[in-house]
Amino acid sequence: MLQKLSPNSPILQATFGIERESLRINANHKVAQTPHPEKFGSRSFHPYIQTDYSEPQIELITPIAHSTKETRRFLGAITDVAMRSMDKSEYLWPLSMPPVISEDDIKIAQLESDHEYQYRIGLGERYGKLLQSMSGIHYNFELGKDLTQQLFELSEETDFVAFKNTLYLKLAQNFLNYRWLLTYLYGASSLAEKGFLSEEVGCVRSIRNSKHGYVNAEDVHISFSSLEQYVADIEQAVQSGQLSAEKEFYSSVRLRGAKMSRDFLSKGISYLEFRTFDLNPYDPFAISQETLDTVHLFLLALLWLDQLADVDNALTKADRLNNLIALSHPHTPLPSDADPTPILIAMKAIVIHFGLDDYYRQLIAHVEAALQDPRLTLSGKIAEQVEDGSLEHFGQQQGQAFHDYAWTAPYALKGYENMELSTQMILFDAIQMGLNVEILDEEDQFLKIWHDDHIEYIKNGNMTSKDNYVVPLAMANKVVTKKILAEAGFPIPAGAEFVNKTDALRYYGQISSSAIVVKPKSTNFGLGISIFQEPASLVDYEKALDIAFSEDSHVLVEEFIAGTEYRFFILDGKCEAVLLRVA
């Protein structure tokens, strides 16, 4: 089906989210024994900063974003806020494996919910408290709605929910089959400090992704051969007491979008959560932009590959292979039965078929280079930092460096320095307090901040509902107007905003059979606007883009809706006049 898609199809369209765990470390380089910082506000509702298993283990959660770049950018902002809201003597541990730690150092998170607190006590009894101190990154991924719809239309399915389930289950199966490649490339939990494990394993690629990691008991067997079998196995494991709850199933990939697995059968899988990623100690945000984009291409390649034939047996072998690679020394090559060729061929096929730019070719080249030289992998670099059988000194150095970076220019919000200072300060405070934040229009400094059902629109850091002129300011911005109307339930023309011609041309695959309008974002009096009441050719569409970009650096491409246009004038809640507009 992917091969049948037009090269202009939205192959990169997706939504992303990141969850990052880290331990707070005190001035003595030990796990902090201080409570969850009060400056973070209530963790019972905070959308971005939560407590994980223990009181010093914080979890940073990004909102859903439509690009890896924006996801990582917001992760940077949350990280910046978290570091500057903690006691200044504390910093975040940059490694997945903790420094020297004992069970007495691990204080279970003092959550308001007694149910959640008791659940954590149960986890400690079942797995031991030490394992809970390992930290990692969860990569949440949903295929774009337009991409999914185009694939559905090419399929023979008549049930969209069933099709989505097939799509995501295949992605999950192939991920489990090839996750050893990610363990090889990005494994970074290389060394356990003295006393952490009951048996010494030395310097390896990823303890966290091995049998010594945070995994379920060996008698827990959940099949991915079909969604029906997956649901039945999960329910049986809970019923038998092997799992205390469905969320205790610690697969490296989780099906997401419903509280109970059985709901997937009727409501469908919404997205997948990939849990294999160790913290990257060389990156201040614990995951690099290159990793995010390489994994995105890797996931698309998993769809390109054929379906697994004997799923259960194939995944059992893949699990053994992953464990072998995870527990190998970082400078050793892959074993002979770990063949990356199929996945590399699929990644290259995606790039060629959909005409992706050189950036994606470079990503593949970096993967191939790391396959040739294990020292280029993340664990390969970390192995060279081991001193006297320990990584504590390295962790302290990196953690302090990231701490110092966070405190440089403390009046600014990292990643958002291009916005007005007052807007940056409002964003910082809103994130710190746990208010939901959305940048409606970055260029126009327009924010939406809300908590529960209370919403504030803020422009330039100082115009809010306290100044009702914020309404005409919002109306003067086409993008902001559309977002506000859409959230209020009004129908709006579908479309997208572009800041470069390359991305706008790729969008042609989604509008090639539609009537459209191409216009500059800030235009007035009809300047730079092209209207196609019949579908436009690619040549004409490109000309329209050139005309629009000559008027503004931001261009909108929207569906054209024919009809009579009226303008309603409302004053103090009363309609005073209606104007019939004639072009």
Side-chain angles (χ1 to χ4, degrees):
M1 286 189 286
L2 284 170
Q3 289 176 329
K4 292 178 182 177
L5 285 178
S6 160
N8 283 321
S9 297
I11 189 64
L12 296 177
Q13 186 191 62
T15 54
F16 307 87
I18 296 292
E19 303 163 45
R20 174 207 174 170
E21 305 154 351
S22 283
L23 290 167
R24 288 185 292 112
I25 303 297
N26 62 26
N28 297 320
H29 304 296
K30 301 296 181 184
V31 175
Q33 297 302 306
T34 51
H36 186 74
E38 289 185 2
K39 285 186 178 179
F40 292 153
S42 174
R43 51 188 156 184
S44 65
F45 69 80
H46 206 299
Y48 309 124
I49 304 174
Q50 290 281 339
T51 322
D52 204 83
Y53 178 80
S54 62
E55 195 68 1
Q57 189 177 43
I58 68 172
E59 183 176 23
L60 308 179
I61 306 165
T62 69
I64 293 171
H66 294 282
S67 72
T68 57
K69 187 176 180 180
E70 190 54 39
T71 302
R72 187 174 178 276
R73 185 188 187 201
F74 204 93
L75 176 63
I78 303 171
T79 304
D80 195 34
V81 171
M83 287 189 171
R84 290 198 276 130
S85 300
M86 299 175 346
D87 188 289
K88 199 168 183 178
S89 66
E90 295 181 353
Y91 63 93
L92 293 180
W93 190 245
L95 296 166
S96 281
M97 300 302 290
V100 173
I101 191 173
S102 68
E103 293 227 352
D104 293 338
D105 296 326
I106 302 171
K107 183 179 181 181
I108 295 174
Q110 304 297 292
L111 303 176
E112 294 176 15
S113 167
D114 185 61
H115 173 75
E116 287 297 324
Y117 180 72
Q118 294 300 327
Y119 173 68
R120 282 164 172 76
I121 289 178
L123 294 180
E125 293 172 348
R126 191 189 293 264
Y127 302 97
K129 291 166 68 177
L130 280 180
L131 282 185
Q132 322 287 338
S133 63
M134 289 190 291
S135 298
I137 278 187
H138 298 174
Y139 184 120
N140 297 295
F141 176 76
E142 178 186 12
L143 290 161
K145 289 180 172 53
D146 295 320
L147 176 62
T148 305
Q149 182 63 35
Q150 288 187 19
L151 289 171
F152 173 63
E153 290 170 2
L154 285 172
S155 74
E156 298 178 357
E157 289 275 3
T158 55
D159 184 336
F160 184 67
V161 170
F163 173 75
K164 269 209 330 178
N165 284 342
T166 301
L167 196 66
Y168 281 114
L169 190 64
K170 176 186 177 178
L171 188 51
Q173 291 168 351
N174 276 346
F175 182 86
L176 291 170
N177 195 43
Y178 280 99
R179 71 181 174 116
W180 54 262
L181 180 57
L182 300 183
T183 299
Y184 173 84
L185 293 170
Y186 306 121
S189 50
S190 298
L191 196 71
E193 298 299 329
K194 188 176 180 181
F196 187 86
L197 294 177
S198 57
E199 61 177 282
E200 294 297 321
V201 299
C203 184
V204 299
R205 286 196 174 93
S206 181
I207 292 171
R208 190 172 152 272
N209 280 294
S210 75
K211 65 180 181 179
H212 300 294
Y214 196 42
V215 294
N216 298 118
E218 291 184 1
D219 62 344
V220 176
H221 300 289
I222 309 297
S223 173
F224 279 82
S225 60
S226 71
L227 186 57
E228 289 77 10
Q229 191 61 53
Y230 173 91
V231 171
D233 288 350
I234 286 268
E235 291 178 339
Q236 175 59 33
V238 173
Q239 187 178 358
S240 67
Q242 292 171 298
L243 300 176
S244 61
E246 290 192 9
K247 64 181 179 180
E248 197 190 322
F249 176 47
Y250 297 125
S251 172
S252 59
V253 58
R254 275 177 171 167
L255 314 183
R256 305 294 276 173
K259 287 187 176 181
M260 305 302 291
S261 296
R262 182 155 294 278
D263 291 337
F264 291 133
L265 298 172
S266 56
K267 298 178 181 178
I269 302 165
S270 297
Y271 65 99
L272 298 180
E273 176 188 12
F274 303 106
R275 308 172 68 251
T276 63
F277 300 94
D278 294 333
L279 303 185
N280 179 348
Y282 295 100
D283 192 286
F285 310 145
I287 189 166
S288 71
Q289 186 65 50
E290 181 176 315
T291 299
L292 288 170
D293 292 329
T294 303
V295 172
H296 184 194
L297 185 58
F298 172 82
L299 295 174
L300 294 174
L302 296 180
L303 286 181
W304 188 275
L305 290 172
D306 290 338
Q307 196 96 18
L308 292 179
D310 186 353
V311 175
D312 288 334
N313 283 331
L315 296 190
T316 298
K317 292 178 183 177
D319 187 59
R320 293 196 196 105
L321 180 59
N322 180 75
N323 187 65
L324 174 64
I325 292 169
L327 293 178
S328 298
H329 189 277
H331 292 164
T332 57
L334 284 169
S336 58
D337 50 349
D339 181 12
T341 306
I343 195 73
L344 289 171
I345 290 173
M347 291 170 77
K348 291 175 181 177
I350 291 284
V351 170
I352 293 170
H353 182 78
F354 294 100
L356 301 185
D357 59 34
D358 284 343
Y359 172 68
Y360 290 93
R361 288 185 171 85
Q362 291 169 15
L363 293 179
I364 298 172
H366 292 165
V367 171
E368 290 178 321
L371 288 167
Q372 291 297 317
D373 183 0
R375 291 177 183 271
L376 297 177
T377 65
L378 207 46
S379 61
K381 296 174 184 177
I382 293 170
E384 297 175 1
Q385 303 297 329
V386 177
E387 296 180 15
D388 299 324
S390 171
L391 280 170
E392 279 205 321
H393 181 63
F394 173 64
Q396 292 165 11
Q397 279 186 319
Q398 294 299 99
Q400 282 290 163
F402 297 151
H403 171 271
D404 295 343
Y405 168 69
W407 280 96
T408 57
Y411 47 82
L413 182 64
K414 301 292 187 296
Y416 294 85
E417 294 91 343
N418 61 315
M419 302 189 80
E420 292 179 1
L421 195 56
S422 55
T423 302
Q424 292 180 57
M425 294 168 74
I426 283 177
L427 283 170
F428 184 98
D429 286 353
I431 292 170
Q432 185 185 62
M433 295 168 65
L435 304 178
N436 293 281
V437 172
E438 180 184 355
I439 299 175
L440 296 176
D441 190 320
E442 186 166 336
E443 186 184 40
D444 210 21
Q445 309 283 323
F446 233 113
L447 306 179
K448 175 188 174 184
I449 295 180
W450 74 98
H451 177 62
D452 291 338
D453 59 353
H454 183 85
I455 299 172
E456 285 291 339
Y457 296 105
I458 304 175
K459 178 168 166 43
N460 297 340
N462 60 11
M463 299 177 187
T464 70
S465 61
K466 299 295 182 184
D467 174 1
N468 58 19
Y469 190 59
V470 77
V471 176
L473 287 172
M475 290 171 62
N477 185 306
K478 295 178 174 63
V479 172
V480 173
T481 298
K482 282 180 63 176
K483 288 180 178 178
I484 293 173
L485 290 173
E487 287 165 1
F490 288 94
I492 60 167
E497 177 182 354
F498 301 99
V499 295
N500 64 72
K501 186 177 172 182
T502 301
D503 290 343
L505 284 172
R506 177 164 292 282
Y507 190 62
Y508 180 73
Q510 292 166 252
I511 49 87
S512 60
S513 60
S514 305
I516 59 167
V517 179
V518 180
K519 59 186 177 184
K521 177 179 169 182
S522 61
T523 190
N524 213 336
F525 308 112
L527 293 174
I529 295 177
S530 299
I531 299 174
F532 298 95
Q533 298 190 43
E534 299 293 332
S537 68
L538 180 58
V539 172
D540 288 343
Y541 175 63
E542 184 172 2
K543 287 180 183 177
L545 290 174
D546 290 335
I547 293 169
F549 273 117
S550 70
E551 297 288 340
D552 196 348
S553 59
H554 291 64
V555 166
L556 304 180
V557 180
E558 299 177 331
E559 64 177 326
F560 172 77
I561 300 173
T564 306
E565 182 183 354
Y566 297 98
R567 177 165 290 184
F568 290 78
F569 178 65
I570 312 289
L571 188 62
D572 292 334
K574 181 182 177 185
C575 180
E576 299 287 358
V578 182
L579 176 70
L580 168 62
R581 304 192 78 200
V582 179

